[in-house]
Short mmCIF file of all heavy atoms in Angstrom, two decimals:
data_model
loop_
_atom_site.label_atom_id
_atom_site.label_comp_id
_atom_site.label_asym_id
_atom_site.label_seq_id
_atom_site.Cartn_x
_atom_site.Cartn_y
_atom_site.Cartn_z
N ASP A 795 -90.65 62.40 -70.67
CA ASP A 795 -89.32 62.58 -70.11
C ASP A 795 -88.30 61.63 -70.72
O ASP A 795 -87.11 61.84 -70.61
CB ASP A 795 -89.34 62.38 -68.59
CG ASP A 795 -90.16 63.46 -67.90
OD1 ASP A 795 -90.34 64.53 -68.51
OD2 ASP A 795 -90.62 63.22 -66.78
N GLU A 796 -88.77 60.56 -71.35
CA GLU A 796 -87.87 59.53 -71.87
C GLU A 796 -87.61 59.69 -73.37
O GLU A 796 -87.28 58.72 -74.03
CB GLU A 796 -88.45 58.16 -71.59
CG GLU A 796 -88.57 57.84 -70.11
CD GLU A 796 -89.17 56.47 -69.87
OE1 GLU A 796 -89.26 55.68 -70.83
OE2 GLU A 796 -89.54 56.19 -68.74
N VAL A 797 -87.75 60.86 -73.90
CA VAL A 797 -87.52 61.09 -75.31
C VAL A 797 -86.02 60.99 -75.60
O VAL A 797 -85.20 61.54 -74.88
CB VAL A 797 -88.05 62.48 -75.73
CG1 VAL A 797 -87.70 62.78 -77.18
CG2 VAL A 797 -89.54 62.56 -75.50
N ALA A 798 -85.68 60.25 -76.64
CA ALA A 798 -84.27 60.08 -77.00
C ALA A 798 -83.69 61.43 -77.40
O ALA A 798 -84.34 62.22 -78.08
CB ALA A 798 -84.14 59.08 -78.13
N ARG A 799 -82.47 61.68 -77.00
CA ARG A 799 -81.81 62.95 -77.29
C ARG A 799 -80.56 62.70 -78.10
O ARG A 799 -79.84 61.74 -77.85
CB ARG A 799 -81.45 63.64 -75.96
CG ARG A 799 -80.60 64.86 -76.15
CD ARG A 799 -81.25 66.07 -75.50
NE ARG A 799 -80.66 67.30 -76.02
CZ ARG A 799 -79.56 67.85 -75.56
NH1 ARG A 799 -78.91 67.32 -74.56
NH2 ARG A 799 -79.09 68.97 -76.08
N ASP A 800 -80.32 63.53 -79.06
CA ASP A 800 -79.10 63.46 -79.85
C ASP A 800 -78.18 64.59 -79.41
O ASP A 800 -78.63 65.70 -79.15
CB ASP A 800 -79.40 63.62 -81.34
CG ASP A 800 -80.13 62.41 -81.91
OD1 ASP A 800 -80.04 61.34 -81.30
OD2 ASP A 800 -80.78 62.56 -82.95
N TYR A 801 -76.88 64.29 -79.33
CA TYR A 801 -75.89 65.26 -78.89
C TYR A 801 -74.92 65.57 -80.03
O TYR A 801 -74.54 64.69 -80.78
CB TYR A 801 -75.09 64.71 -77.70
CG TYR A 801 -75.93 64.39 -76.50
CD1 TYR A 801 -76.39 63.10 -76.27
CD2 TYR A 801 -76.28 65.37 -75.58
CE1 TYR A 801 -77.17 62.80 -75.16
CE2 TYR A 801 -77.04 65.08 -74.47
CZ TYR A 801 -77.50 63.79 -74.27
OH TYR A 801 -78.26 63.50 -73.17
N THR A 802 -74.48 66.81 -80.11
CA THR A 802 -73.44 67.21 -81.06
C THR A 802 -72.09 66.84 -80.44
O THR A 802 -72.00 66.39 -79.31
CB THR A 802 -73.49 68.72 -81.32
OG1 THR A 802 -73.22 69.39 -80.08
CG2 THR A 802 -74.83 69.15 -81.88
N TYR A 803 -71.01 67.06 -81.23
CA TYR A 803 -69.67 66.81 -80.68
C TYR A 803 -69.44 67.60 -79.39
O TYR A 803 -68.98 67.05 -78.40
CB TYR A 803 -68.59 67.21 -81.70
CG TYR A 803 -68.19 66.11 -82.65
CD1 TYR A 803 -68.42 66.22 -84.01
CD2 TYR A 803 -67.52 64.97 -82.19
CE1 TYR A 803 -68.02 65.22 -84.88
CE2 TYR A 803 -67.12 63.98 -83.05
CZ TYR A 803 -67.37 64.10 -84.40
OH TYR A 803 -66.98 63.11 -85.26
N ALA A 804 -69.76 68.88 -79.41
CA ALA A 804 -69.51 69.73 -78.24
C ALA A 804 -70.33 69.27 -77.03
O ALA A 804 -69.81 69.19 -75.92
CB ALA A 804 -69.82 71.18 -78.58
N GLU A 805 -71.60 68.96 -77.25
CA GLU A 805 -72.47 68.53 -76.15
C GLU A 805 -72.02 67.18 -75.59
O GLU A 805 -71.99 66.97 -74.38
CB GLU A 805 -73.92 68.43 -76.62
CG GLU A 805 -74.52 69.77 -76.98
CD GLU A 805 -75.85 69.63 -77.70
OE1 GLU A 805 -76.11 68.58 -78.33
OE2 GLU A 805 -76.63 70.60 -77.64
N ALA A 806 -71.68 66.25 -76.49
CA ALA A 806 -71.25 64.92 -76.06
C ALA A 806 -69.93 64.99 -75.30
O ALA A 806 -69.75 64.33 -74.28
CB ALA A 806 -71.13 63.99 -77.25
N ALA A 807 -68.99 65.81 -75.78
CA ALA A 807 -67.70 65.96 -75.11
C ALA A 807 -67.90 66.55 -73.71
O ALA A 807 -67.27 66.10 -72.74
CB ALA A 807 -66.76 66.83 -75.93
N ALA A 808 -68.78 67.51 -73.59
CA ALA A 808 -69.05 68.10 -72.28
C ALA A 808 -69.68 67.08 -71.34
O ALA A 808 -69.34 67.01 -70.16
CB ALA A 808 -69.97 69.32 -72.43
N LYS A 809 -70.59 66.27 -71.86
CA LYS A 809 -71.24 65.26 -71.04
C LYS A 809 -70.25 64.19 -70.59
O LYS A 809 -70.33 63.69 -69.47
CB LYS A 809 -72.39 64.62 -71.81
CG LYS A 809 -73.24 63.70 -71.00
CD LYS A 809 -74.52 63.35 -71.72
CE LYS A 809 -75.29 62.31 -70.94
NZ LYS A 809 -76.46 62.83 -70.31
N LEU A 810 -69.30 63.84 -71.46
CA LEU A 810 -68.28 62.84 -71.12
C LEU A 810 -67.12 63.44 -70.33
O LEU A 810 -66.25 62.72 -69.86
CB LEU A 810 -67.74 62.18 -72.39
CG LEU A 810 -68.71 61.30 -73.15
CD1 LEU A 810 -68.10 60.87 -74.48
CD2 LEU A 810 -69.10 60.09 -72.32
N ARG A 811 -67.08 64.78 -70.27
CA ARG A 811 -66.00 65.52 -69.59
C ARG A 811 -64.64 65.23 -70.23
O ARG A 811 -63.65 64.95 -69.54
CB ARG A 811 -65.97 65.20 -68.10
CG ARG A 811 -67.20 65.64 -67.38
CD ARG A 811 -67.10 65.35 -65.93
NE ARG A 811 -68.33 65.76 -65.26
CZ ARG A 811 -68.62 65.44 -64.03
NH1 ARG A 811 -67.80 64.71 -63.32
NH2 ARG A 811 -69.75 65.84 -63.51
N ILE A 812 -64.62 65.30 -71.56
CA ILE A 812 -63.38 65.14 -72.31
C ILE A 812 -63.31 66.26 -73.33
O ILE A 812 -64.29 66.96 -73.58
CB ILE A 812 -63.30 63.77 -73.04
CG1 ILE A 812 -64.46 63.61 -74.02
CG2 ILE A 812 -63.27 62.62 -72.03
CD1 ILE A 812 -64.37 62.37 -74.89
N ALA A 813 -62.15 66.44 -73.94
CA ALA A 813 -61.99 67.46 -74.96
C ALA A 813 -62.70 67.02 -76.25
O ALA A 813 -62.79 65.82 -76.55
CB ALA A 813 -60.51 67.70 -75.25
N GLU A 814 -63.19 67.97 -76.99
CA GLU A 814 -63.87 67.67 -78.24
C GLU A 814 -62.93 66.97 -79.22
O GLU A 814 -63.35 66.06 -79.96
CB GLU A 814 -64.44 68.95 -78.85
CG GLU A 814 -65.35 68.70 -80.03
CD GLU A 814 -65.99 69.98 -80.53
OE1 GLU A 814 -66.15 70.93 -79.75
OE2 GLU A 814 -66.33 70.01 -81.73
N THR A 815 -61.66 67.36 -79.23
CA THR A 815 -60.70 66.71 -80.13
C THR A 815 -60.50 65.24 -79.76
O THR A 815 -60.32 64.40 -80.64
CB THR A 815 -59.35 67.44 -80.11
OG1 THR A 815 -58.89 67.55 -78.78
CG2 THR A 815 -59.48 68.82 -80.73
N THR A 816 -60.55 64.94 -78.46
CA THR A 816 -60.45 63.54 -78.03
C THR A 816 -61.64 62.74 -78.54
O THR A 816 -61.48 61.63 -79.05
CB THR A 816 -60.38 63.46 -76.49
OG1 THR A 816 -59.25 64.19 -76.05
CG2 THR A 816 -60.30 62.03 -76.02
N LEU A 817 -62.84 63.31 -78.44
CA LEU A 817 -64.03 62.63 -78.92
C LEU A 817 -63.94 62.40 -80.43
O LEU A 817 -64.29 61.32 -80.92
CB LEU A 817 -65.28 63.44 -78.57
CG LEU A 817 -66.61 62.84 -78.98
CD1 LEU A 817 -66.81 61.47 -78.35
CD2 LEU A 817 -67.75 63.77 -78.61
N ARG A 818 -63.47 63.39 -81.17
CA ARG A 818 -63.32 63.23 -82.62
C ARG A 818 -62.32 62.11 -82.95
O ARG A 818 -62.53 61.33 -83.87
CB ARG A 818 -62.88 64.54 -83.26
CG ARG A 818 -63.96 65.59 -83.27
CD ARG A 818 -63.48 66.88 -83.91
NE ARG A 818 -64.49 67.91 -83.82
CZ ARG A 818 -65.49 68.08 -84.69
NH1 ARG A 818 -65.59 67.27 -85.72
NH2 ARG A 818 -66.36 69.04 -84.53
N ARG A 819 -61.26 62.02 -82.17
CA ARG A 819 -60.26 60.96 -82.37
C ARG A 819 -60.87 59.59 -82.07
O ARG A 819 -60.67 58.63 -82.81
CB ARG A 819 -59.03 61.21 -81.51
CG ARG A 819 -57.88 60.27 -81.79
CD ARG A 819 -56.59 60.65 -81.08
NE ARG A 819 -56.76 60.85 -79.64
CZ ARG A 819 -56.68 62.02 -79.01
NH1 ARG A 819 -56.41 63.12 -79.69
NH2 ARG A 819 -56.84 62.09 -77.71
N TRP A 820 -61.65 59.50 -80.99
CA TRP A 820 -62.30 58.24 -80.63
C TRP A 820 -63.25 57.78 -81.74
O TRP A 820 -63.32 56.60 -82.06
CB TRP A 820 -63.07 58.37 -79.33
CG TRP A 820 -62.22 58.44 -78.10
CD1 TRP A 820 -60.85 58.42 -78.03
CD2 TRP A 820 -62.67 58.55 -76.75
NE1 TRP A 820 -60.44 58.53 -76.74
CE2 TRP A 820 -61.53 58.60 -75.92
CE3 TRP A 820 -63.93 58.62 -76.17
CZ2 TRP A 820 -61.61 58.69 -74.54
CZ3 TRP A 820 -64.01 58.73 -74.79
CH2 TRP A 820 -62.87 58.76 -73.98
N VAL A 821 -63.98 58.72 -82.35
CA VAL A 821 -64.91 58.39 -83.43
C VAL A 821 -64.12 57.88 -84.64
O VAL A 821 -64.47 56.86 -85.24
CB VAL A 821 -65.78 59.60 -83.81
CG1 VAL A 821 -66.51 59.36 -85.13
CG2 VAL A 821 -66.77 59.91 -82.70
N SER A 822 -63.04 58.55 -84.98
CA SER A 822 -62.26 58.13 -86.16
C SER A 822 -61.62 56.77 -85.97
O SER A 822 -61.44 56.02 -86.92
CB SER A 822 -61.20 59.18 -86.50
OG SER A 822 -60.19 59.20 -85.50
N LYS A 823 -61.31 56.41 -84.72
CA LYS A 823 -60.70 55.11 -84.43
C LYS A 823 -61.75 54.04 -84.14
O LYS A 823 -61.41 52.88 -83.93
CB LYS A 823 -59.74 55.22 -83.25
CG LYS A 823 -58.52 56.07 -83.57
CD LYS A 823 -57.46 55.93 -82.51
CE LYS A 823 -56.26 56.77 -82.84
NZ LYS A 823 -55.37 56.16 -83.79
N GLY A 824 -63.02 54.42 -84.10
CA GLY A 824 -64.10 53.46 -83.87
C GLY A 824 -64.29 53.08 -82.42
O GLY A 824 -64.93 52.08 -82.12
N ARG A 825 -63.75 53.85 -81.51
CA ARG A 825 -63.86 53.54 -80.08
C ARG A 825 -65.25 53.83 -79.53
O ARG A 825 -65.69 53.20 -78.58
CB ARG A 825 -62.82 54.33 -79.30
CG ARG A 825 -62.88 54.05 -77.83
CD ARG A 825 -61.78 54.71 -77.07
NE ARG A 825 -62.02 54.55 -75.64
CZ ARG A 825 -61.30 55.13 -74.71
NH1 ARG A 825 -60.27 55.87 -75.04
NH2 ARG A 825 -61.59 54.96 -73.45
N ILE A 826 -65.95 54.77 -80.14
CA ILE A 826 -67.29 55.15 -79.69
C ILE A 826 -68.21 55.18 -80.90
O ILE A 826 -67.84 55.72 -81.94
CB ILE A 826 -67.26 56.51 -78.95
CG1 ILE A 826 -68.62 56.87 -78.38
CG2 ILE A 826 -66.75 57.61 -79.83
CD1 ILE A 826 -68.60 58.06 -77.45
N PRO A 827 -69.40 54.59 -80.80
CA PRO A 827 -70.33 54.63 -81.93
C PRO A 827 -70.96 56.01 -82.10
O PRO A 827 -71.01 56.79 -81.16
CB PRO A 827 -71.39 53.59 -81.55
CG PRO A 827 -71.32 53.48 -80.08
CD PRO A 827 -69.90 53.81 -79.68
N CYS A 828 -71.41 56.28 -83.30
CA CYS A 828 -72.07 57.55 -83.59
C CYS A 828 -73.04 57.35 -84.74
O CYS A 828 -73.05 56.29 -85.37
CB CYS A 828 -71.06 58.64 -83.91
SG CYS A 828 -70.14 58.33 -85.42
N HIS A 829 -73.82 58.35 -85.02
CA HIS A 829 -74.77 58.33 -86.13
C HIS A 829 -74.43 59.49 -87.05
O HIS A 829 -74.36 60.63 -86.61
CB HIS A 829 -76.21 58.46 -85.60
CG HIS A 829 -76.58 57.37 -84.66
ND1 HIS A 829 -76.98 56.13 -85.07
CD2 HIS A 829 -76.55 57.31 -83.30
CE1 HIS A 829 -77.21 55.36 -84.02
NE2 HIS A 829 -76.94 56.07 -82.93
N ARG A 830 -74.22 59.17 -88.31
CA ARG A 830 -73.86 60.20 -89.28
C ARG A 830 -75.09 60.55 -90.12
O ARG A 830 -75.76 59.67 -90.65
CB ARG A 830 -72.74 59.70 -90.18
CG ARG A 830 -71.47 59.44 -89.41
CD ARG A 830 -70.35 58.97 -90.33
NE ARG A 830 -69.21 58.51 -89.55
CZ ARG A 830 -68.23 59.28 -89.12
NH1 ARG A 830 -68.26 60.57 -89.37
NH2 ARG A 830 -67.24 58.78 -88.42
N LEU A 831 -75.34 61.84 -90.20
CA LEU A 831 -76.45 62.38 -90.99
C LEU A 831 -75.85 63.32 -92.01
O LEU A 831 -75.72 64.52 -91.75
CB LEU A 831 -77.44 63.12 -90.09
CG LEU A 831 -78.00 62.33 -88.90
CD1 LEU A 831 -78.71 63.25 -87.95
CD2 LEU A 831 -78.92 61.26 -89.41
N GLY A 832 -75.43 62.78 -93.14
CA GLY A 832 -74.69 63.58 -94.11
C GLY A 832 -73.34 63.92 -93.51
O GLY A 832 -72.58 63.03 -93.14
N ARG A 833 -73.04 65.19 -93.38
CA ARG A 833 -71.77 65.62 -92.76
C ARG A 833 -71.88 65.77 -91.25
O ARG A 833 -70.88 65.95 -90.57
CB ARG A 833 -71.32 66.95 -93.37
CG ARG A 833 -70.95 66.82 -94.84
CD ARG A 833 -70.47 68.12 -95.39
NE ARG A 833 -69.25 68.53 -94.69
CZ ARG A 833 -68.68 69.71 -94.81
NH1 ARG A 833 -69.23 70.61 -95.59
NH2 ARG A 833 -67.58 69.99 -94.16
N LYS A 834 -73.10 65.71 -90.75
CA LYS A 834 -73.32 65.89 -89.31
C LYS A 834 -73.11 64.56 -88.58
O LYS A 834 -73.42 63.49 -89.09
CB LYS A 834 -74.74 66.38 -89.04
CG LYS A 834 -75.01 67.74 -89.63
CD LYS A 834 -76.43 68.16 -89.36
CE LYS A 834 -76.71 69.49 -90.00
NZ LYS A 834 -78.10 69.92 -89.80
N VAL A 835 -72.59 64.65 -87.38
CA VAL A 835 -72.40 63.48 -86.52
C VAL A 835 -73.16 63.73 -85.23
O VAL A 835 -73.05 64.81 -84.63
CB VAL A 835 -70.90 63.25 -86.22
CG1 VAL A 835 -70.71 62.08 -85.27
CG2 VAL A 835 -70.13 63.01 -87.51
N ARG A 836 -73.95 62.75 -84.82
CA ARG A 836 -74.74 62.87 -83.60
C ARG A 836 -74.51 61.64 -82.73
O ARG A 836 -74.21 60.56 -83.21
CB ARG A 836 -76.23 63.01 -83.91
CG ARG A 836 -76.57 64.26 -84.69
CD ARG A 836 -76.37 65.50 -83.83
NE ARG A 836 -76.74 66.71 -84.51
CZ ARG A 836 -75.89 67.53 -85.08
NH1 ARG A 836 -74.60 67.27 -85.08
NH2 ARG A 836 -76.30 68.64 -85.66
N PHE A 837 -74.70 61.83 -81.43
CA PHE A 837 -74.52 60.77 -80.45
C PHE A 837 -75.79 60.62 -79.63
O PHE A 837 -76.42 61.61 -79.29
CB PHE A 837 -73.36 61.10 -79.50
CG PHE A 837 -72.06 61.34 -80.20
CD1 PHE A 837 -71.70 62.61 -80.62
CD2 PHE A 837 -71.19 60.29 -80.43
CE1 PHE A 837 -70.50 62.84 -81.26
CE2 PHE A 837 -69.99 60.51 -81.08
CZ PHE A 837 -69.64 61.78 -81.50
N THR A 838 -76.15 59.39 -79.30
CA THR A 838 -77.28 59.13 -78.41
C THR A 838 -76.73 58.81 -77.02
O THR A 838 -75.52 58.64 -76.85
CB THR A 838 -78.13 57.95 -78.91
OG1 THR A 838 -77.31 56.78 -78.92
CG2 THR A 838 -78.70 58.21 -80.30
#
């Protein structure tokens, strides 16, 4: 049950209850950490 999960932009935005564009802005400004896998961005 404790397996780490990675979230996409859409999943992370839904979990945070914010708009996906807001999450993308936060990532670009460095407000929230993320993990980049090539062009993909994932959140733990």
Side-chain angles (χ1 to χ4, degrees):
D795 295 338
E796 297 179 13
V797 175
R799 172 124 198 275
D800 290 338
Y801 300 96
T802 63
Y803 270 116
E805 294 169 335
K809 188 167 174 107
L810 293 172
R811 296 182 182 168
I812 59 173
E814 189 175 334
T815 54
T816 301
L817 182 59
R818 289 180 185 274
R819 187 171 53 249
W820 287 1
V821 168
S822 69
K823 294 192 180 279
R825 180 174 172 186
I826 184 170
C828 65
H829 300 279
R830 296 181 190 273
L831 305 168
R833 294 182 63 190
K834 297 179 182 178
V835 177
R836 297 291 183 260
F837 302 90
T838 62

